[in-house]
Amino acid sequence: MVQTWRIVTYNTWKCDGLYRERLNWMGQPLSDLSPDIVCLQEAFDCPAGSADTVGHLASALEMQSEVLAAREKT
C-alpha cells in the first residue's frame, strides 16, 4: 500500500512588515493546499505570547503543532 503525504514549506518572513495582516492572509492559501505537514521557516514566537506564528497557523489549519527552535534570537 502506497501512502502519499502532502508536505508544504513556507517562509513566514519573521515578524517584519505587516505581521498581523500577513498572519490572516497566510492561512487560506495554506489551507487550499490541504497539507498533511507544514514546515515553517522564520516563524515568530514572542515569549510574552503576544505573537505566535506557529500557533496561529495551526489553529487556522486545524492542525497540531510542534516547534523546533533552530536558534534563539533576541
Side-chain angles (χ1 to χ4, degrees), residues 11-61:
N11 186 316
T12 66
W13 202 46
K14 302 178 284 187
C15 60
D16 293 338
L18 303 172
Y19 174 71
R20 299 209 185 279
E21 289 83 354
R22 282 197 337 272
L23 274 181
N24 293 325
W25 176 83
M26 286 186 257
Q28 190 59 53
L30 286 171
S31 179
D32 291 345
L33 294 171
S34 301
D36 296 299
I37 298 170
V38 178
C39 301
L40 300 176
Q41 300 130 19
E42 297 191 16
F44 186 67
D45 180 30
C46 176
S50 63
D52 177 5
T53 305
V54 175
H56 178 87
L57 290 175
S59 177
L61 297 170

